[in-house]
Coordinates of all heavy atoms in Angstrom, one line a residue:
L1 N 0.8 -1.2 0.0 CA 0.0 0.0 0.0 C 0.9 1.3 0.0 O 1.9 1.3 0.7 CB -0.9 0.0 1.2 CG -2.0 -1.0 1.3 CD1 -2.7 -1.0 2.6 CD2 -3.0 -0.8 0.2
Y2 N 0.4 2.3 -0.7 CA 1.1 3.5 -0.8 C 0.4 4.5 0.2 O -0.8 4.4 0.5 CB 1.1 4.1 -2.2 CG 1.9 3.3 -3.1 CD1 1.3 2.4 -4.0 CD2 3.3 3.5 -3.2 CE1 2.1 1.7 -4.9 CE2 4.1 2.8 -4.1 CZ 3.5 1.9 -4.9 OH 4.3 1.2 -5.8
D3 N 1.2 5.5 0.7 CA 0.7 6.5 1.5 C 0.2 7.7 0.7 O -0.8 8.4 1.1 CB 1.7 7.0 2.5 CG 2.3 5.9 3.4 OD1 1.5 5.4 4.2 OD2 3.5 5.6 3.3
L4 N 0.8 7.9 -0.4 CA 0.5 9.0 -1.3 C 0.7 8.6 -2.8 O 1.7 8.0 -3.1 CB 1.3 10.3 -0.9 CG 1.0 11.6 -1.6 CD1 1.3 12.8 -0.7 CD2 1.7 11.7 -3.0
C5 N -0.2 9.0 -3.6 CA -0.1 8.8 -5.1 C -0.2 10.1 -5.7 O -1.1 10.9 -5.4 CB -1.2 7.8 -5.6 SG -1.1 6.1 -5.0
F6 N 0.6 10.4 -6.7 CA 0.6 11.7 -7.4 C 0.5 11.4 -8.9 O 1.4 10.8 -9.5 CB 1.9 12.5 -7.1 CG 2.0 13.8 -7.8 CD1 1.0 14.7 -7.8 CD2 3.1 14.1 -8.6 CE1 1.1 15.9 -8.5 CE2 3.3 15.3 -9.3 CZ 2.2 16.2 -9.2
L7 N -0.6 11.9 -9.5 CA -0.8 11.6 -10.9 C -0.6 12.9 -11.7 O -1.2 13.9 -11.6 CB -2.3 11.2 -11.1 CG -2.7 9.9 -10.4 CD1 -4.2 9.5 -10.7 CD2 -1.8 8.7 -10.6
D8 N 0.5 12.8 -12.6 CA 0.9 13.9 -13.4 C 1.3 13.5 -14.8 O 2.3 13.9 -15.3 CB 2.0 14.7 -12.7 CG 2.2 16.1 -13.3 OD1 1.3 16.6 -14.1 OD2 3.3 16.7 -13.1
G9 N 0.5 12.5 -15.3 CA 0.8 12.0 -16.6 C -0.3 12.4 -17.6 O -0.8 13.6 -17.5
A10 N -0.7 11.6 -18.5 CA -1.7 11.9 -19.5 C -3.0 12.0 -18.8 O -3.5 11.0 -18.1 CB -1.8 10.8 -20.6
K11 N -3.7 13.1 -18.9 CA -4.9 13.4 -18.1 C -6.1 12.5 -18.6 O -7.0 12.2 -17.8 CB -5.3 14.9 -18.2 CG -4.2 15.8 -18.0 CD -3.4 15.6 -16.7 CE -2.2 16.5 -16.6 NZ -1.3 16.1 -15.5
Q12 N -6.0 12.1 -19.8 CA -7.1 11.2 -20.3 C -7.1 9.8 -19.6 O -8.1 9.1 -19.6 CB -7.0 11.0 -21.8 CG -5.7 10.4 -22.3 CD -5.6 10.5 -23.8 OE1 -6.4 10.0 -24.5 NE2 -4.5 11.1 -24.3
D13 N -6.0 9.5 -19.0 CA -5.9 8.2 -18.2 C -6.2 8.4 -16.8 O -6.2 7.4 -16.0 CB -4.5 7.7 -18.4 CG -4.1 7.3 -19.8 OD1 -5.0 7.1 -20.6 OD2 -2.9 7.3 -20.1
N14 N -6.5 9.6 -16.3 CA -6.6 9.8 -14.9 C -7.7 9.0 -14.1 O -7.4 8.5 -13.0 CB -6.9 11.3 -14.6 CG -5.6 12.1 -14.5 OD1 -4.5 11.5 -14.5 ND2 -5.7 13.4 -14.6
V15 N -8.9 8.8 -14.7 CA -9.9 8.0 -14.0 C -9.4 6.6 -13.9 O -9.6 6.0 -12.8 CB -11.2 8.1 -14.8 CG1 -12.2 7.1 -14.2 CG2 -11.8 9.5 -14.7
A16 N -8.9 6.0 -14.9 CA -8.4 4.6 -14.8 C -7.3 4.5 -13.8 O -7.2 3.6 -13.0 CB -7.9 4.1 -16.2
L17 N -6.4 5.5 -13.8 CA -5.3 5.5 -12.8 C -5.8 5.7 -11.4 O -5.3 5.1 -10.4 CB -4.3 6.5 -13.2 CG -3.4 6.2 -14.4 CD1 -2.6 7.4 -14.9 CD2 -2.5 5.0 -14.1
M18 N -6.8 6.6 -11.2 CA -7.4 6.8 -9.9 C -8.0 5.5 -9.3 O -7.8 5.2 -8.2 CB -8.4 7.9 -9.9 CG -7.8 9.3 -10.2 SD -9.1 10.6 -10.4 CE -9.7 10.8 -8.7
R19 N -8.6 4.7 -10.2 CA -9.2 3.4 -9.8 C -8.1 2.5 -9.3 O -8.2 1.9 -8.2 CB -10.0 2.8 -10.9 CG -11.2 3.5 -11.3 CD -12.0 2.8 -12.4 NE -13.1 3.5 -13.0 CZ -14.3 3.6 -12.5 NH1 -14.6 3.0 -11.3 NH2 -15.2 4.3 -13.1
L20 N -7.0 2.5 -10.0 CA -5.8 1.7 -9.7 C -5.2 2.2 -8.4 O -4.8 1.4 -7.5 CB -4.8 1.7 -10.8 CG -5.2 0.9 -12.1 CD1 -4.2 1.3 -13.2 CD2 -5.2 -0.6 -11.8
C21 N -5.1 3.5 -8.2 CA -4.6 4.0 -7.0 C -5.4 3.8 -5.8 O -4.9 3.6 -4.7 CB -4.3 5.5 -7.2 SG -2.9 5.9 -8.3
I22 N -6.7 3.8 -5.9 CA -7.6 3.6 -4.8 C -7.3 2.2 -4.2 O -7.3 2.0 -3.0 CB -9.1 3.7 -5.2 CG1 -9.5 5.2 -5.4 CG2 -10.0 3.0 -4.2 CD1 -10.8 5.4 -6.0
E23 N -7.1 1.2 -5.1 CA -6.8 -0.1 -4.7 C -5.4 -0.2 -4.0 O -5.2 -1.2 -3.2 CB -6.7 -1.1 -5.9 CG -8.1 -1.2 -6.6 CD -7.9 -2.0 -7.9 OE1 -6.8 -2.4 -8.3 OE2 -9.0 -2.2 -8.6
R24 N -4.5 0.7 -4.2 CA -3.1 0.6 -3.8 C -2.8 1.7 -2.7 O -1.6 1.8 -2.3 CB -2.2 0.8 -5.0 CG -2.2 -0.4 -5.9 CD -1.6 -0.2 -7.2 NE -1.6 -1.4 -8.0 CZ -2.6 -1.9 -8.6 NH1 -3.8 -1.3 -8.5 NH2 -2.5 -3.1 -9.3
T25 N -3.8 2.4 -2.2 CA -3.6 3.5 -1.3 C -4.2 3.1 0.1 O -5.4 2.7 0.1 CB -4.1 4.8 -1.7 OG1 -3.6 5.2 -3.0 CG2 -3.9 6.0 -0.7
R26 N -3.5 3.3 1.1 CA -4.0 2.9 2.5 C -5.1 3.8 2.9 O -5.2 5.0 2.4 CB -2.9 3.0 3.5 CG -2.4 4.4 3.8 CD -1.5 4.5 5.0 NE -0.8 5.7 5.2 CZ -1.4 6.8 5.7 NH1 -2.6 6.8 6.1 NH2 -0.7 8.0 5.9
A27 N -6.0 3.4 3.8 CA -7.0 4.3 4.3 C -6.3 5.4 5.0 O -5.4 5.3 5.8 CB -7.9 3.5 5.3
G28 N -6.8 6.6 4.7 CA -6.2 7.8 5.2 C -5.1 8.4 4.4 O -4.6 9.5 4.6
G29 N -4.7 7.6 3.4 CA -3.7 8.1 2.4 C -4.3 9.1 1.5 O -5.5 9.3 1.5
V30 N -3.4 9.6 0.6 CA -3.9 10.7 -0.3 C -3.5 10.4 -1.7 O -2.5 9.9 -2.0 CB -3.2 12.0 0.1 CG1 -3.5 13.1 -0.8 CG2 -3.6 12.4 1.5
I31 N -4.5 10.7 -2.6 CA -4.2 10.7 -4.1 C -4.3 12.1 -4.6 O -5.4 12.8 -4.4 CB -5.3 9.8 -4.8 CG1 -5.2 8.4 -4.2 CG2 -5.1 9.8 -6.3 CD1 -6.4 7.5 -4.7
L32 N -3.3 12.6 -5.2 CA -3.2 13.9 -5.8 C -3.2 13.8 -7.3 O -2.5 13.1 -7.9 CB -1.9 14.7 -5.3 CG -1.7 14.8 -3.8 CD1 -0.3 15.5 -3.6 CD2 -2.8 15.6 -3.2
V33 N -4.1 14.6 -7.9 CA -4.2 14.7 -9.4 C -3.8 16.1 -9.8 O -4.5 17.1 -9.4 CB -5.6 14.3 -9.9 CG1 -5.6 14.3 -11.4 CG2 -6.0 12.9 -9.3
D34 N -2.7 16.2 -10.6 CA -2.2 17.5 -10.9 C -3.0 18.1 -12.1 O -3.7 17.5 -12.8 CB -0.8 17.4 -11.2 CG 0.0 18.8 -11.1 OD1 -0.5 19.6 -10.3 OD2 1.1 18.9 -11.7
N35 N -2.8 19.5 -12.2 CA -3.4 20.2 -13.3 C -4.9 20.1 -13.4 O -5.5 20.0 -14.4 CB -2.8 19.8 -14.7 CG -1.3 19.9 -14.7 OD1 -0.7 18.8 -14.8 ND2 -0.8 21.1 -14.6

């Protein structure tokens, strides 16, 4: 599990990546989506 995920790649992939990050982020952890 990750404590923090930061998404700053192709924005068209963000929803799919957010789903993957939700599975890999601990409760109370943070997912940041840039731009």
Side-chain angles (χ1 to χ4, degrees):
L1 292 172
Y2 291 101
D3 301 296
L4 187 149
C5 297
F6 177 53
L7 303 182
D8 193 17
K11 313 309 174 190
Q12 59 190 302
D13 296 338
N14 274 346
V15 170
L17 288 169
M18 290 173 74
R19 294 182 190 278
L20 290 169
C21 287
I22 286 172
E23 298 172 358
R24 289 162 175 78
T25 303
R26 66 166 172 85
V30 175
I31 300 169
L32 302 177
V33 184
D34 204 21
N35 304 114

